[in-house]
Amino acid sequence: MRAAEFRVFLSSTFTDLQPEREQLVKKVFPRIRALCRERGVEFTEIDLRWGITTEEARSGKVVRICLDEIGRCRPYFIGILGMRYGWRPTLADIEKDPDALRHYPWLAEYIEANKSIVEMEITHGALRDDSKHSAFIYEQTSNRHLITEADQEPFDNLKATLRSKLPYKEFSTPVELGEQVYADLVAVLDRDWPQKKELTPLESEQLAHEAFALNRTQAYIANPDYYRHFEEFIGGDGAPLLVWGKSGLGKSALMAYLTSEYKILHPEGFVMRHFVGAAASASSPIDIMRHVMLEIKSRYGLPDELPTDDQKYSEEFPGWLAKVKSGDKFIVAIDAVNQLTGIGPEMHWLPEFIPANVRLIISTTPEVPLDQLRKRNWQELEIKSLDGSQRTRISEEFLSRYHKHLSEQQLDVIARSIRLESPLFLRTILEELRVFGVHRELDERLATYISCEDENELFQAVLERMERDYGETTVREVMSAIWASRFGLTETELLEITKLTRYALSEFLIALEFHLMRRSGLYTFFHNYLRQAVEFRYLYEENEKKLAHNKLAEYFSTREYSTRRRDEEPWQLQQAGELTQLEQCLRDPQMAAMFESDREVYEAFSYWKSVGEISFNEKYIEKLKSAGMYNEIKFNAYRNIISLLITAGAYKQAEVCLLAGLSILEDLPKDDKRVLETQDIRLTIENHLGRFESVINIAKSILEIISERNNNYYFKLLDQLAYAQCSIGQFLDAVNTTTYALNFSLTANGKQSYQTAMQYKNLGAYLTFQGNLEESEKASLEAWMLYSKLFGEFHPESARCRMNIAACCTLQKKYEEASFHYGQVENIFLNTVGPVHPFTLQCKINIAYLNAEMGNFLEARQMSLIQLEQCTKVFGDLSLNTLKVATFIGYTYYLEKNYLKAKEYYDK
């Protein structure tokens, strides 16, 4: 399976072909990059001779750097021949870099034959391996007469060889070359990443985790004790295996190594590995369950479809595990569950029963997952610190790969140093020693590194060494940019952000291979210790951090609209505290159109919370309708903006925007998905604004024409209908509607589902209004338990269920219990949706009511007067929420027998 990165090496002499390079870099490659991005491919051109000084070109390392980069680009290669044969390095030039001949022994023969650097590059990139379908040679014909006599014969020999073995084309102008290169690269793109053949979800998933595993295994020294334990576990049929240990002990590397070795020994084995955080879609329990299901579906060619509703994954997951054939052994390795998002670390999503032929291995740090999984009495493998003999063995094995050896005294120093108990600490020092070239100073260098108190001090020393080798500017610019990024940066982005030469960046990235990881073309730090060291060294002051984020925000603001820009630009502005620019970014229609899923809408909401009040109005929507954009973009922006306003509780703004944009839908049929989405949004707004008769009429008419009943939209309509019925006092109708929806969901979805939990929550609320408090408390408690399991105890929806329980307790005069629940709920709302959200305001109104019931009339009224002012501002004078508060204030005066004041508020 080919990774989603198209790297092409560009080889030629420099001074005689500068116009041609300009044409490719400025005109052709941007067009190729745009085509690649449409297919989810990152295009990177490697042009090491661009901007390289004469001194750099004649340094010994240039040859090795070029050949290393060609290897990373293989099989894609472009060679351009002009009027110069090129620089011919001597043995003395090459010997300046001792590693060059060791890595590429054939260089000696080429140097002896007086071959040029261009011929060496072409040989390595196009002739030494079978690259004839991906390597291209282009010759400029207009300046043939300018070739010197000394260059003529070797040039003719090289051209004859190339014509016989590779696609060979001639051109006379830069524009002609550009057209040829563009056509050839498009053909390669169509062949290797066809436009109509996208990667399947499983292929995309596997690519991300394979890249992560490769990166980890490159930095791992095997401990045979752990592998023996792994083999015994795989060969048995006992409970799953829990691998745990503190951060820095190499759990991810071990998981990658164990599964990689098993796959080598058992090529047909059924192995799945999932590294939490290895990709944007690899961080939640649903991501893991989806990955497992896709592997099982692919392995057996099953026709079964995966759930379309995220809430159904936990319900269906055990059944999918049971689909593994009894004769098979399915190895499932899940790494770093402590890094799962949301309530993932609580591990409720993982079934209690795991079939014996599913050999499940999970790794974690000593945090919540370890405590939860230990309750299941699983097998355990604790990853411990390295002892002296292990440190010695690892040091000898690692350095011997590079034909280097430490003395007995130096190995003894390593064996006795307690700080080297951490594999990361030891591996970093060994890597530093490997690249250190002065053998007589080795003792001093080893002592310097071992004397570091912790990882932060060690990586300060590493950064200091890198600055000496590659220049402080290069190290600072690259590391600061990666630190400031949200998800990492592509090589092209780094090149454009740092303004470094291609040579300087390539040289540094190659040197950083151990400390960086690249996921889907994005460079990020291999571990958090380096991130902390970079922050301490280069971004210690808050102003420096702000400047780093501002630099990336400015860069992404000039890029084409894409998920990369959506993920980075607003986040960078938020981190930099540039709230005015952040608001402008969020109001950009094309940016708003990209915040589509529920997660992304909440992300946009979090950005707006930083800015302050969300600001969209009728004029904005009218401007959106007339904007020169595709209708699909307009609709997405329109829908996302209204969803955002509803999420924020800004219902009046949402209605204004909804009505202003309805003409966008006027040419669509009534059953079009976009029309139905808009109707659902309309009902939500009207319910919140108190137009309940309208909601009832519209909902009933739509329910009559819906043919497919087992879908989310059907349940949403029932919910909208029941809410409206309750709001106008039709409590029995609301209870009946919700009871029907609950029974339907239990049959269609089962108990452990989001729809079922939501219906329990709604039923509890309506039973409270009906006065059936005991049944209401039971339903609300059931809802709270289900929501807490699905989303976590501190999710706003879980808190709303708990608020229903508190209301039941209040009405049953269980005041102490009610007060405890309300206190917890208020804190959750304040920390998740903010102080002026409808959820928070409703909670405070309920707390005021509780105080009144307990006889604390003055305190209840003071709270309610504050709520009245906020509700008037948020919902308007005539909204149901505002009127409820005004009525309640009147009620507190009534209880105190202050009838005149009570009448004043009742009259409102």
Side-chain angles (χ1 to χ4, degrees):
M1 191 185 309
R2 192 178 299 282
E5 186 175 16
F6 186 2
R7 290 170 58 88
V8 177
F9 190 91
L10 178 60
S11 173
S12 79
T13 48
F14 181 69
T15 56
D16 59 327
L17 292 168
Q18 186 168 347
E20 285 77 6
R21 286 177 173 271
E22 286 276 318
Q23 181 71 18
L24 294 181
V25 172
K26 295 184 177 180
K27 301 292 179 64
V28 176
F29 292 156
R31 293 166 64 197
I32 295 295
R33 185 171 292 110
L35 288 175
C36 286
R37 284 181 177 170
E38 290 176 3
R39 307 182 194 189
V41 178
E42 184 63 30
F43 177 80
T44 306
E45 73 274 12
I46 305 299
D47 183 12
L48 289 180
R49 318 230 55 82
W50 188 269
I52 295 178
T53 64
T54 302
E55 290 74 22
E56 288 174 327
R58 295 187 181 279
S59 71
K61 286 193 296 183
V62 168
V63 175
R64 180 166 58 86
I65 291 294
C66 291
L67 299 182
D68 284 350
E69 280 292 2
I70 289 170
R72 296 171 73 198
C73 294
R74 187 172 282 120
Y76 308 113
F77 182 91
I78 291 174
I80 310 174
L81 306 178
M83 62 181 182
R84 297 179 64 244
Y85 177 60
W87 169 55
R88 309 183 198 198
T90 65
L91 190 59
D93 293 320
I94 298 298
E95 287 178 341
K96 293 176 185 177
D97 179 12
D99 287 334
L101 287 174
R102 183 167 58 82
H103 288 172
Y104 306 104
W106 54 268
L107 283 175
E109 177 187 344
Y110 274 63
I111 291 169
E112 186 178 352
N114 203 24
K115 302 289 187 181
S116 73
I117 181 66
V118 172
E119 183 160 353
M120 292 176 185
E121 289 177 350
I122 293 175
T123 298
H124 188 53
L127 296 177
R128 293 187 67 84
D129 292 307
D130 184 12
S131 302
K132 62 182 179 181
H133 300 298
S134 302
F136 303 91
I137 304 298
Y138 308 89
E139 182 193 351
Q140 183 200 62
T141 57
S142 56
N143 291 329
R144 280 178 177 171
H145 61 286
L146 297 177
I147 297 175
T148 65
E149 184 177 347
D151 284 350
Q152 191 69 58
E153 183 179 353
F155 229 164
D156 288 344
N157 293 336
L158 173 61
K159 292 174 185 178
T161 300
L162 294 176
R163 282 194 182 95
S164 66
K165 295 185 176 181
L166 293 172
Y168 193 100
K169 297 181 180 180
E170 298 178 347
F171 67 93
S172 57
T173 67
V175 172
E176 186 179 355
L177 170 67
E179 292 172 350
Q180 293 174 351
V181 171
Y182 180 79
D184 289 336
L185 293 185
V186 169
V188 170
L189 183 64
D190 287 339
R191 182 194 70 201
D192 293 350
W193 294 279
Q195 188 170 18
K196 294 183 179 180
K197 183 184 180 300
E198 298 181 358
L199 288 175
T200 67
L202 178 58
E203 288 172 334
S204 298
E205 193 78 39
Q206 290 171 334
L207 272 176
H209 296 287
E210 289 296 324
F212 188 94
L214 177 61
N215 191 291
R216 292 305 192 201
T217 51
Q218 287 175 342
Y220 185 71
I221 303 297
N223 183 325
D225 296 336
Y226 295 149
Y227 192 77
R228 280 195 296 270
H229 195 117
F230 170 75
E231 283 187 313
E232 291 172 3
F233 166 74
I234 296 299
D237 57 1
L241 177 63
L242 182 57
V243 177
W244 66 277
K246 66 180 183 180
S247 180
L249 291 183
K251 294 179 297 300
S252 296
L254 174 62
M255 296 285 274
Y257 170 76
L258 294 176
T259 49
S260 295
E261 287 296 302
Y262 186 87
K263 290 173 71 174
I264 291 171
L265 296 173
H266 305 87
E268 301 303 318
F270 191 8
V271 181
M272 188 215 88
R273 46 192 178 182
H274 188 104
F275 299 91
V276 174
S281 61
S283 301
S284 74
I286 290 174
D287 295 331
I288 294 174
M289 291 185 282
R290 181 185 294 115
H291 188 182
V292 172
M293 292 176 180
L294 287 170
E295 292 280 3
I296 295 172
K297 179 180 172 70
S298 174
R299 175 77 171 191
Y300 301 115
L302 300 177
D304 310 52
E305 294 299 327
L306 270 62
T308 55
D309 181 357
D310 284 354
Q311 310 309 322
K312 286 193 173 184
Y313 273 89
S314 292
E315 304 165 30
E316 297 188 17
F317 190 51
W320 277 84
L321 292 179
K323 297 177 190 290
V324 178
K325 293 181 179 179
S326 58
D328 274 0
K329 189 172 289 184
F330 182 24
I331 299 171
V332 179
I334 304 172
D335 176 58
V337 293
N338 53 290
Q339 296 181 19
L340 285 169
T341 57
I343 62 165
E346 297 177 17
M347 304 307 293
H348 294 308
W349 55 273
L350 189 66
E352 292 283 344
F353 173 75
I354 305 294
N357 62 332
V358 177
R359 309 309 291 144
L360 175 63
I361 314 163
I362 288 181
S363 76
T364 181
T365 52
E367 297 178 53
V368 172
L370 181 62
D371 296 334
Q372 293 294 329
L373 293 175
R374 273 183 167 166
K375 297 175 183 177
R376 305 189 184 193
N377 296 316
W378 284 9
Q379 302 178 64
E380 292 188 23
L381 172 59
E382 181 183 0
I383 307 304
K384 298 180 180 179
S385 302
L386 300 173
D387 61 32
S389 63
Q390 289 174 322
R391 296 198 288 274
T392 300
R393 188 178 73 246
I394 289 172
S395 300
E396 289 180 315
E397 183 178 340
F398 174 76
L399 292 174
S400 66
R401 297 179 184 180
Y402 304 95
H403 304 287
K404 295 186 176 182
H405 305 278
L406 296 176
S407 68
E408 291 295 327
Q409 292 80 6
Q410 291 164 341
L411 289 172
D412 185 59
V413 169
I414 289 175
R416 288 187 289 105
S417 176
I418 297 177
R419 292 189 181 91
L420 301 189
E421 290 179 339
S422 162
L424 175 63
F425 208 108
L426 174 60
R427 179 65 171 80
T428 301
I429 289 180
L430 293 176
E431 182 70 22
E432 289 298 298
L433 295 180
R434 181 184 71 80
V435 299
F436 185 64
V438 186
H439 191 268
R440 64 180 178 274
E441 298 177 9
L442 200 57
D443 286 337
E444 181 182 348
R445 181 55 58 98
L446 177 60
T448 298
Y449 286 129
I450 288 180
S451 67
C452 294
E453 288 292 330
D454 53 26
E455 283 84 358
N456 182 57
E457 188 176 340
L458 173 63
F459 283 108
Q460 293 301 321
V462 172
L463 290 171
E464 184 179 350
R465 190 269 303 170
M466 288 181 174
E467 289 173 2
R468 291 195 300 270
D469 290 350
Y470 305 103
E472 182 183 351
T473 299
T474 295
V475 180
R476 176 188 292 273
E477 290 295 316
V478 173
M479 300 303 252
S480 297
I482 295 175
W483 177 92
S485 67
R486 185 182 182 189
F487 296 125
L489 296 169
T490 69
E491 198 165 333
T492 299
E493 289 166 353
L494 277 169
L495 194 65
E496 294 171 346
I497 291 166
T498 63
K499 309 298 184 185
L500 295 172
T501 66
R502 168 61 75 178
Y503 174 85
L505 181 61
S506 292
E507 182 184 46
F508 186 49
L509 290 179
I510 291 172
L512 272 175
E513 189 170 12
F514 168 60
H515 299 293
L516 295 182
M517 62 184 301
R518 190 172 62 182
R519 303 191 300 228
S520 300
L522 297 176
Y523 281 97
T524 187
F525 295 119
F526 188 87
H527 45 75
N528 206 42
Y529 293 119
L530 181 57
R531 178 181 297 278
Q532 293 168 356
V534 168
E535 180 177 340
F536 184 84
R537 189 172 187 84
Y538 305 123
L539 303 152
Y540 189 77
E541 301 292 338
E542 285 302 315
N543 187 56
E544 293 170 330
K545 295 183 178 71
K546 181 177 178 179
L547 288 173
H549 288 301
N550 262 326
K551 186 174 183 179
L552 264 62
E554 182 179 356
Y555 169 77
F556 281 104
S557 71
T558 64
R559 303 299 96 184
E560 62 187 22
Y561 289 96
S562 63
T563 55
R564 286 288 299 134
R565 179 171 174 178
R566 180 203 65 198
D567 289 342
E568 290 286 348
E569 183 186 358
W571 188 84
Q572 296 295 342
L573 291 169
Q574 183 188 52
Q575 299 303 305
E578 299 291 351
L579 303 185
T580 301
Q581 290 176 254
L582 176 57
E583 180 176 0
Q584 293 173 352
C585 172
L586 296 172
R587 288 174 61 79
D588 181 340
Q590 293 195 72
M591 184 66 77
M594 290 188 288
F595 289 97
E596 189 164 354
S597 69
D598 289 345
R599 179 187 64 80
E600 290 157 3
V601 169
Y602 271 100
E603 186 174 282
F605 180 36
S606 72
Y607 292 140
W608 276 105
K609 282 176 66 180
S610 300
V611 172
E613 187 176 349
I614 296 178
S615 176
F616 292 103
N617 54 30
E618 185 176 8
K619 290 183 179 178
Y620 178 90
I621 299 299
E622 290 296 335
K623 187 176 180 181
L624 170 65
K625 286 158 56 177
S626 61
M629 297 182 295
Y630 292 114
N631 285 335
E632 190 67 24
I633 296 177
K634 291 182 184 179
F635 173 76
N636 288 342
Y638 167 66
R639 177 199 57 208
N640 297 349
I641 288 167
I642 298 169
S643 297
L644 173 64
L645 291 168
I646 292 173
T647 300
Y651 305 120
K652 287 169 52 176
Q653 276 194 70
E655 182 186 34
V656 169
C657 291
L658 177 77
L659 296 176
L662 285 177
S663 60
I664 295 176
L665 308 170
E666 59 189 9
D667 295 330
L668 299 174
K670 291 183 178 180
D671 60 350
D672 187 278
K673 179 183 177 183
R674 287 166 290 183
V675 175
L676 292 177
E677 285 180 16
T678 308
Q679 286 280 34
D680 179 55
I681 292 172
R682 178 185 174 189
L683 292 178
T684 301
I685 294 171
E686 298 224 350
N687 255 327
H688 283 291
L689 292 176
R691 299 171 191 151
F692 305 115
E693 294 285 357
S694 172
V695 172
I696 292 171
N697 292 333
I698 295 172
K700 285 183 176 180
S701 65
I702 297 175
L703 284 167
E704 290 177 359
I705 64 172
I706 290 183
S707 57
E708 185 183 356
R709 298 196 176 279
N710 186 18
N711 58 44
N712 287 334
Y713 183 63
Y714 179 67
F715 284 109
K716 285 181 180 179
L717 281 173
L718 291 172
D719 295 341
Q720 302 274 24
L721 174 60
Y723 182 87
Q725 289 169 332
C726 179
S727 298
I728 61 173
Q730 296 177 3
F731 304 129
L732 181 59
D733 289 343
V735 168
N736 288 339
T737 300
T738 306
T739 301
Y740 168 77
L742 173 60
N743 291 332
F744 196 98
S745 183
L746 284 168
T747 301
N749 306 313
K751 188 171 183 178
Q752 304 292 324
S753 72
Y754 169 70
Q755 282 297 345
T756 300
M758 186 166 60
Q759 300 312 322
Y760 270 119
K761 179 191 72 176
N762 294 344
L763 182 60
Y766 301 144
L767 285 167
T768 301
F769 283 107
Q770 195 183 28
N772 193 343
L773 300 180
E774 289 186 8
E775 291 300 315
S776 171
E777 188 173 357
K778 288 180 183 177
S780 298
L781 183 60
E782 194 73 55
W784 183 36
M785 293 172 64
L786 288 174
Y787 267 97
S788 296
K789 189 169 184 179
L790 291 168
F791 299 112
E793 184 180 345
F794 302 106
H795 192 279
E797 291 299 331
S798 303
R800 292 181 73 190
C801 299
R802 194 171 183 180
M803 190 161 65
N804 290 343
I805 296 173
C808 289
C809 291
T810 301
L811 295 172
Q812 295 176 83
K813 303 189 183 303
K814 297 188 287 188
Y815 299 137
E816 187 174 345
E817 191 176 339
S819 180
F820 173 75
H821 283 302
Y822 277 135
Q824 298 292 309
V825 169
E826 183 181 15
N827 284 332
I828 292 171
F829 285 154
L830 286 172
N831 291 325
T832 55
V833 295
V836 296
H837 193 277
F839 294 173
T840 313
L841 296 176
Q842 184 62 56
C843 180
K844 291 186 175 184
I845 294 169
N846 289 6
I847 293 173
Y849 179 82
L850 172 62
N851 275 281
E853 288 294 300
M854 296 169 63
N856 303 325
F857 303 123
L858 180 60
E859 184 177 349
R861 187 160 52 248
Q862 288 175 339
M863 292 178 62
S864 300
L865 286 169
I866 296 172
Q867 300 312 308
L868 180 63
E869 181 181 349
Q870 289 183 327
C871 283
T872 301
K873 179 180 178 181
V874 175
F875 305 114
D877 292 331
L878 300 178
S879 77
L880 185 63
N881 286 312
T882 306
L883 297 175
K884 281 180 180 178
V885 180
T887 303
F888 177 71
I889 294 172
Y891 176 63
T892 62
Y893 280 117
Y894 173 81
L895 292 175
E896 291 181 319
K897 302 187 186 307
N898 188 340
Y899 302 123
L900 187 63
K901 271 288 189 182
K903 183 177 185 300
E904 177 186 334
Y905 279 90
Y906 284 146
D907 285 345
K908 286 180 181 291

